[in-house]
Amino acid sequence: MATFLYKLGRLSFRRRHFVALIWVALLTLAGVGAASAPAAGNSSFSIPGTEAQKAFDLLEQRFPGTSADGATARVVFKAPSGEKMTDPGNKATVKETVKELSDGSEVVRVTDPYQAKAVSKDGTIAYAQVSYKVSGMELDDAAKDALKDSAQDAREAGLTVEIGGDALQAVPHTGSSEIIGIAVAAVVLVITFGSLVAAGLPLLTALIGVGIGVSAITGLASALDLGSTTSTLAMMIGLAVGIDYALFIVSRYRAELAEGREREEAAGRAVGTAGSAVVFAGLTVVIALVGLSVVNIPMLTKMGIAAAGTVAIAVLIALTMVPALLGYAGRKVRPMGEKGKLLGRAKKKDQPAKPNLGTRWASFVVRRPVAVLLLGVIGLGAAAVPATSLELGLPDDGSQPTSTTQRRAYDLLSEGFGPGFNGPLMVVVDAKGSDDPKAVFAETGDEIKGLKDVVTVTPAQPNKAGDTATITVIPGSKPSSVTTENLVHGIRDAGAGIKADTGANVLVTGSTAMNIDVSEKLNDALVPYLVLVVGLAFLLLIVVFRSILVPLKAALGFLLSVMAALGAVVAVFQWGWLSGLMGVEQTGPVMSMMPIFMVGVVFGLAMDYEVFLVTRMREAYVHGEKPAQAVVTGFRHGARVVTAAAVIMMAVFAGFIGSSESMVKMIGFGLAIAVFFDAFVVRMAIVPAVLALLGRKAWWLPKWLDRALPNVDVEGEGLRTRTDSGDEDRELVRA
């Protein structure tokens, strides 16, 4: 591995014009493809295998032309104080609004509140439901403007009018904080390298990689049904790992220059050593992201694969374009220790080298490993405590900020019709194989009426064939409550009895039932996913470190960091701690896919730091140093760079906290805090403490396994036998 990458690094350095041209051409092609591709619509959200999805699919078959996946809007009216919606003036205003709403070309139908009995018992609140032919993201701006104008006309007549539903769904934006994250990364790079040129290389290569990845996703979005969140996630992870991977190679290049090597030789050795760590670190991230496909949620699978593709591009750019740009930079990238005039910290000749902060910290940990280990584990355990109160759900209008019209409409409907009105359950009765479908429909309705927490059960609405009907059930509790979840299971249990008696299938769907099914599916998939991803990465790390205990320690440390990160997410987004600082206007359940998503992404990123830091320790150990000294040596060479990489990754992830989409905001915060816990507590404290306690046992590997494993030479042992003559054609003595 090291030999091949060494040759690749030297080739890229020499043929830098050709390498740069290839990547610029790829960026151009991807950009043209993205610009010419058709606009992507709203990504479909399907959960194969769940009852809610089966019912939805059945509705499309038995009720054709109903635009089941089209956008909906609920225009909610509230009468002025002392008046009712049934008063003649208010009634006339609502009738006129319904007429205006019906004129839109994309409107399928508009329900009249007075004909549909959509007026509250006290007569103060009413609503009209508007159904569209297309989804909210595909809805024309003209249709959205017409919806807003109709509501404004009713407001001018004296009514309070708010609009709920997904018809006003907007494309999420990340805000200026994303730019701030990149700016922080730039500052960290300048401080780390002391040179604007050296600092600019990782940023430039990361932006090129992300540009190619995101442009490719945009170009394929329509064909592959990719949502806007997919490109946001790819940008988030691609920027973070792209900067980090380039940072490690540039840092190793400067270290090789400091040892007196020529620039081409230094570039080759940097790619051969640090590049090997980049390859395996990237592989762990790709395994974790692609492994999300085992959950069998198409949206999650697409997000994972798209992000994994961007990570793969970041690895390739780090191995080829970084050495090419180092060739262009020439002497502007100085050897390690030569800061130049930018920061005024250049080391004078003959000045004795002082132990850096990483060396001092590692020496402290090696002297007091038990105390550091206990403090780190207890601290992470305390941070993980809120995770025991984790509540899962999917966002709806109730999770919107109170300043939005969607949230105000949600609150008005709860006030007028009860908290369960915002999460109605749709029961689909498939009586195709029954002798008397009408009797089955009636029996199903009666069974549901007898269940606890049921407020309203509408009469069955059969299709034209008369073999399938829908029944709307209004729960007494809010959509995200445990009581509503119990009601869904109660209806399904009653449906099992009906099927046994009549042969008819009773299925429950709707957004509330879909949320419940998603949560259960994700919970069921968590353990298999952990086994697959952690198992594959464990085997990969055995090959990298040629050890059993080091990969085991890495996996256990990851579990600590991810649980602590989940605890922080619960504290902020569910409990409301520091919610104002994070811009969280409305607390509520944590997004259902957050735990499994964090497990995947955080595991991949955690292994990044494990590979980069511990490979330097193993490199020192295999070259003859004692275990404790190898830990110190690894920190002397790697701690500063790993710290800079972690700060950069945190800054990039934190930049997405400013997103208008709650899912992106939560992911950005969760990943940023997870990187903090993993890099600074697990890898910087717990890892050296454990290695110091294990001593030589840390690097133990059974002889039979040592013979069976391939020698990937991540430490670059084969490169140490080379002379420094710079003869690029000389064969390596050892490989």
Side-chain angles (χ1 to χ4, degrees), residues 34-328:
S36 59
N42 191 26
S43 178
S44 59
F45 186 79
S46 62
I47 313 295
T50 61
E51 180 172 314
Q53 186 63 45
K54 291 177 182 176
F56 186 82
D57 295 339
L58 184 65
L59 284 174
E60 291 188 330
Q61 295 175 9
R62 304 288 175 85
F63 292 82
T66 57
S67 299
D69 58 345
T72 59
R74 277 180 171 176
V75 183
V76 187
F77 307 90
K78 184 176 182 179
S81 179
E83 300 182 16
K84 293 188 176 182
M85 292 304 304
T86 51
D87 293 346
N90 294 334
K91 193 172 184 178
T93 300
V94 173
K95 291 278 189 183
E96 181 63 27
T97 302
V98 170
K99 182 180 178 182
E100 289 181 23
L101 292 170
S102 303
D103 293 338
S105 60
E106 295 182 321
V107 174
V108 176
R109 60 183 175 277
V110 181
T111 60
D112 186 313
Y114 304 101
Q115 295 179 1
K117 299 181 180 180
V119 181
S120 62
K121 290 183 179 180
D122 61 4
T124 60
I125 297 175
Y127 72 91
Q129 181 152 316
V130 187
S131 300
Y132 293 90
K133 298 176 182 178
V134 296
S135 65
M137 294 293 286
E138 297 171 315
L139 202 60
D140 288 342
D141 290 338
K144 294 181 180 181
D145 292 340
L147 180 62
K148 295 175 184 177
D149 292 343
S150 298
Q152 185 59 35
D153 292 342
R155 290 190 188 104
E156 293 174 356
L159 298 177
T160 298
V161 186
E162 304 296 346
I163 305 171
D166 60 352
L168 295 182
Q169 184 176 7
V171 177
H173 59 85
T174 55
S176 60
S177 56
E178 177 188 346
I179 306 300
I180 296 175
I182 297 177
V184 171
V187 172
V188 173
L189 288 169
V190 171
I191 294 174
T192 302
F193 292 134
S195 164
L196 290 175
V197 175
L201 291 182
L203 281 176
L204 177 60
T205 54
L207 290 173
I208 291 174
V210 167
I212 294 173
V214 173
S215 296
I217 291 170
T218 304
L220 297 172
S222 178
L224 300 181
D225 191 26
L226 304 177
S228 58
T229 308
T230 304
S231 58
T232 304
L233 174 67
M235 181 188 301
M236 184 189 304
I237 297 178
L239 269 177
V241 300
I243 294 174
D244 279 7
Y245 294 165
L247 167 64
F248 281 104
I249 290 179
V250 174
S251 298
R252 189 59 182 256
Y253 171 76
R254 296 177 69 234
E256 296 292 338
L257 288 179
E259 294 184 11
R261 293 189 173 90
E262 293 297 327
R263 294 187 178 275
E264 183 178 327
E265 177 71 10
R269 287 176 177 268
V271 176
T273 51
S276 298
V278 166
V279 169
F280 284 100
L283 276 176
T284 59
V285 179
V286 169
I287 288 172
L289 291 171
V290 174
L292 291 170
S293 58
V294 303
V295 184
N296 197 26
I297 295 180
M299 184 182 79
L300 196 59
T301 299
K302 293 171 185 177
M303 288 171 64
I305 293 175
T310 307
V311 171
I313 293 172
V315 171
L316 293 174
I317 283 185
L319 299 178
T320 57
M321 193 167 187
V322 169
L325 292 181
L326 289 172
Y328 283 117

Side-chain angles (χ1 to χ4, degrees), residues 605-652:
L605 300 179
M607 294 307 102
D608 270 9
Y609 300 116
E610 181 76 14
V611 170
F612 287 129
L613 194 59
V614 180
T615 47
R616 292 306 292 256
M617 298 179 190
R618 174 164 174 77
E619 184 176 343
Y621 176 75
V622 298
H623 295 150
E625 293 188 8
K626 294 181 179 180
Q629 183 58 38
V631 171
V632 177
T633 300
F635 267 76
R636 182 172 68 249
H637 292 296
R640 180 183 179 89
V641 180
V642 168
T643 300
V647 172
I648 289 169
M649 196 171 279
M650 289 169 55
V652 172

